[in-house]
Amino acid sequence: MTTNTVSLIPRRERGWRMGLGNMLAKEINSWLRTRRWWMQCLIALALLNGLFVANMEATHSVLNAGLSFLMIAAWAAPFVAILMGQDSILGERQSGTAAWVLSKPLRRPAFILAKLIAYGLGLLATWVVLPGGIAYLQFRAYGLDQLSISGYVAAMGLVYLNLLFYLTLALMLATLFNGRGPGLGAALLNFMIWLPFLADPIVEYAPWLLKVMPWNLLMPFGFSAGSPLAGYLILEAPLPTVTPIIFTAVWCVLFIRIAIWRFRREEF
C-alpha cells in the first residue's frame, strides 16, 4: 500500500508534530490491512517457537532450548527490523512517494517518527509479544512451572530493546545513504559478530565495546561461558551490569535524532 492510496484526514497538530497522525495511520494500515502482520507472525513463530521445540526434542534441556530462543531472537528479529526499517524509507524515497507526501502538511520529523512508531509497534507484536507469550507457555509445559512472569517480561523487554537498536539503526542508515548496502552490512555484521574470528579480538583488545553495545543482552558474547543479561532476568538473578542496557537505549535515541537531522536536509 502506498501513501497516495490513503485518504488523508485533516488534523490539528502543530510544529514538528504536523501530519504525524495521518502519517502514523497510513503506516499502521500498511501493517493491518496487508499480509505483512500475519506473515511476520508465521515467520516469527516458525523460527523462535518452532526451533524452541526442535532444540528441546534434540537436547531434552529446557535451558538449552531457552538459550536457542534468545539466540534466534538476537539474530532473526534484528535482521527483519533492518530490512523493513531501511526499505520503509528507501522505498518511498526511490519511488517518489516521500517527495509527494512531504508536499502536504507533514513535517519531516513526523515522517521519521511515524515510521519508528508503526514499525516499532508492529515488530513488538509479531516478534516479541506473540512468540514470547507462546515461549512462556512452552517453558512451563517443559517443566519450568516456577518461571517468574515479571522476570520473563523484563527479559522480553531486552529482546525488544535489542530489536529497537537495529530498527533505529536501519532508519538512520536509510537517511544517510541511497542504497541498501549499509543496512545489509549491518545485518551481516549482526550475524558474524559472535564468531570467534571477530569476537576474540574484541574481547582481547576492545572489551569496552561489550559495555556500550547490545551484544550481551540476549546471548553470551562469542558463545563464551556465562549467561546473557536476559538469562539473569529470567532466573531472577541480580544483573552483573546495567551499562549495556543504558547505552543501547542511548544509541536508539541518538540514531533516531541523526535520522531526523539528516532527513530535514534531504532535497526532494
Side-chain angles (χ1 to χ4, degrees):
M1 182 181 294
T2 58
T3 304
N4 56 0
T5 64
V6 178
S7 298
L8 299 182
I9 302 172
R11 303 279 183 170
R12 295 182 179 275
E13 293 102 338
R14 294 290 184 270
W16 61 269
R17 295 185 300 109
M18 182 179 294
L20 178 60
N22 280 326
M23 191 66 189
L24 182 57
K26 173 260 177 185
E27 293 297 336
I28 291 177
N29 285 335
S30 72
W31 280 82
L32 298 180
R33 296 185 180 180
T34 67
R35 298 178 298 173
R36 178 181 295 173
W37 70 270
W38 62 262
M39 289 182 65
Q40 291 298 317
C41 288
L42 291 178
I43 295 172
L45 291 175
L47 288 177
L48 296 174
N49 303 102
L51 290 177
F52 184 103
V53 174
N55 190 282
M56 186 65 200
E57 295 298 324
T59 65
H60 301 287
S61 170
V62 68
L63 293 180
N64 285 340
L67 185 60
S68 72
F69 177 89
L70 292 176
M71 180 180 70
I72 299 302
W75 284 349
F79 183 79
V80 173
I82 288 174
L83 294 185
M84 295 184 68
Q86 181 178 239
D87 192 63
S88 71
I89 292 181
L90 285 181
E92 295 206 22
R93 287 174 61 189
Q94 294 172 356
S95 67
T97 305
W100 179 86
V101 75
L102 288 170
S103 67
K104 312 304 178 184
L106 172 67
R107 291 294 179 88
R108 298 191 181 205
F111 182 92
I112 298 294
L113 291 175
K115 301 285 186 183
L116 174 64
I117 296 171
Y119 280 79
L121 291 176
L123 292 169
L124 172 65
T126 57
W127 281 91
V128 181
V129 175
L130 177 62
I134 292 177
Y136 179 79
L137 299 178
Q138 290 175 310
F139 275 116
R140 293 183 62 88
Y142 284 118
L144 287 184
D145 296 332
Q146 305 302 318
L147 187 63
S148 166
I149 295 180
S150 60
Y152 186 80
V153 170
M156 290 302 101
L158 292 190
V159 172
Y160 187 52
L161 180 61
N162 183 69
L163 187 152
L164 275 182
F165 174 87
Y166 290 98
L167 174 61
T168 54
L169 174 63
L171 293 175
M172 181 188 71
L173 292 175
T175 63
L176 295 175
F177 302 97
N178 293 321
R180 289 173 171 78
L184 294 176
L188 180 61
L189 180 61
N190 182 49
F191 277 99
M192 299 176 61
I193 196 66
W194 282 279
L195 300 180
F197 76 94
L198 287 178
D200 290 346
I202 290 175
V203 172
E204 183 175 358
Y205 300 109
W208 57 270
L209 284 174
L210 302 181
K211 299 179 180 180
V212 301
M213 298 298 288
W215 300 329
N216 266 333
L217 295 182
L218 304 184
M219 55 187 299
F221 189 72
F223 299 106
S224 60
S227 176
L229 297 183
Y232 285 93
L233 293 175
I234 290 176
L235 299 176
E236 291 190 290
L239 288 175
T241 178
V242 296
T243 304
I245 300 175
I246 295 173
F247 268 96
T248 301
V250 171
W251 282 121
C252 293
V253 174
L254 179 62
F255 290 157
I256 207 65
R257 287 184 65 87
I258 293 175
I260 292 173
W261 169 82
R262 179 63 185 88
F263 199 69
R264 277 175 164 171
R265 286 155 178 77
E266 185 74 24
E267 295 184 2
F268 292 101

